[in-house]
Amino acid sequence: MISFRVQGIDELIERAKSLFGNKRPMLAAMGRGVGNILRRHFAKLETGRPNKQGWPRTHFWRQVRGSVQNPVVTADTASVAINHVAMAQRYFGGEIRPFRRQWLTIAASPESYGKTAPDFSDLEFGMAVNPFGRLQRALGRGRDTHTEADGSRTSILRDPLFWLTKRVNQKPDPSTLPTDAELSAAAADAGENYLAAKLAQMGGAA
Amino acid sequence: MELTQPIPFREAIRRQAVRAVMPTSMGSDELQRLNADILRASFFSARTLLEDYLRRAKQVIGELLAPRRVTRIDEQLGVEVTVTEGLNLAYARSELQALLDRLGYVPEEEQAGTIQDLRSDARVNLVLRTNLQIAQGYGWWRQGMDPGVIEAFPAMEMVRVQGVKEPRNWRVRWDAAARTVRDWSAMRAAADHGRMAARKDSPLWQALGDGAGGFESDALHNPYPPFAFNSGMDVQDVTYQDAVAIGLIEPGQTVTPQLQPFAENLAA
């Protein structure tokens, strides 16, 4: 999960306080502006980033978009959270290791993509040739005989469905979020719209 | 922007929590004829008579809505780490399918593997995704009525957020809903600007959710998205200045925040 705190943009916030005696609605509007740009950003990722393998989609970015929440306002800040369990990992990167399990499972075919190993009742543990030409532990079906470079023979899985690994290192991906400048601009634009609406209601111009 | 601790999605979680479990043997067509308020207040899946399953499905969706930040000892490093715990859709689906197995569920032979099979991936995905999106859609819609937010963003518009194999003609549905409630500004916004946009207090949104104009068969009866099963459509806010520019409101005009739907009144 990731949260943003809207700060700064002090001039707009103080203007709201001086005009209306209350800056909370302004902060709420600004926070909503941040939420809106986050939702638009994730909608673009949903349409523009199908999975690299071309497999059936899980609509991950649609799910992330749905998890963006509205601001929680305090005296001087508005916080916006993205409540998806995997979003922080995508943005910050880092090492993933199994918890209460021996292995991490990584989908090896379209059949297993978006699924878990327990979804299949007919998988065997073994070795299989990965896309890099190396033998790797896997869960899969069927057996073939693989001849090593030294002529020895090994029984390997014919159809790996999951690669098994002890850890995965993901690089951080800042493109999964709008830039700070975009977020600030969205907050400021929302604040200006709030001021424009309120001043128009009072019969004046912003 | 400073990155801080997360806050639970309160409105969505509360919306999910108040929905009662409603076992039913009615099919989807029969359920559609039920009063919209009863449907909104109940957590249902057509033809599901397994209360334990429905109860667990409701809990699972609650867990999808609210992943937790927890501190635990890293088994390998031997130090305290803070991690995010929660379900993703794949594990949520696995849990529900495993529960159905423990309950001894067996589909009718001709339905096995189809959407009528409660255990099929398609059926469980539909239940999870639809109910998750309804809870999130309600949360975003409800919070959009807050002071400050409704002034800055007095309107919203329909946008496509996910591709689908067979897109519905939403423009036709939009025009039908607008005609039904006589929201001419919404009709003009679509005709003149190509935008399916309306004020947040327009009855058009409920009409859209009810499938006005002959589209009742896949309607979900909410004034917030999703407006139909597997639609791929959602809404986004329209700014005050934009709403004036496309004729949805006059300068200085106020938009009335909409009260909570019936389900929250039941909880009170």
Side-chain angles (χ1 to χ4, degrees), chain A residues 5 32 69 97 116 119, chain B residues 2 5 7 74 94 237 241:
Chain A
R5 185 173 288 144
R32 182 82 170 195
Q69 65 154 334
R97 281 179 278 109
T116 68
D119 284 339
Chain B
E2 180 185 333
Q5 291 293 321
I7 303 102
D74 185 291
S94 277
D237 281 339
Q241 289 164 339

Side-chain angles (χ1 to χ4, degrees), chain A residues 63 66-67, chain B residues 9 12 64-65 131-141:
Chain A
Q63 297 167 39
S67 76
Chain B
F9 199 170
L64 285 168
L65 281 170
N131 283 283
L132 183 64
Q133 288 167 13
I134 288 173
Q136 290 171 336
Y138 169 73
W140 189 252
W141 171 85

Side-chain angles (χ1 to χ4, degrees), chain A residues 1-7 34 38 42 67-72 78-84 87-88 91-92 177 180 183, chain B residues 1-9 69 84:
Chain A
M1 292 182 284
I2 301 179
S3 277
F4 302 89
R5 185 173 288 144
V6 178
Q7 291 174 308
V34 169
L38 287 169
F42 297 136
S67 76
V68 173
Q69 65 154 334
N70 209 54
V72 174
S79 295
V80 179
I82 305 168
N83 264 16
H84 192 282
M87 181 57 203
Y91 180 75
F92 293 110
L177 289 175
D180 274 3
L183 290 165
Chain B
M1 293 285 159
E2 180 185 333
L3 301 182
T4 70
Q5 291 293 321
I7 303 102
F9 199 170
R69 296 272 285 175
T84 304

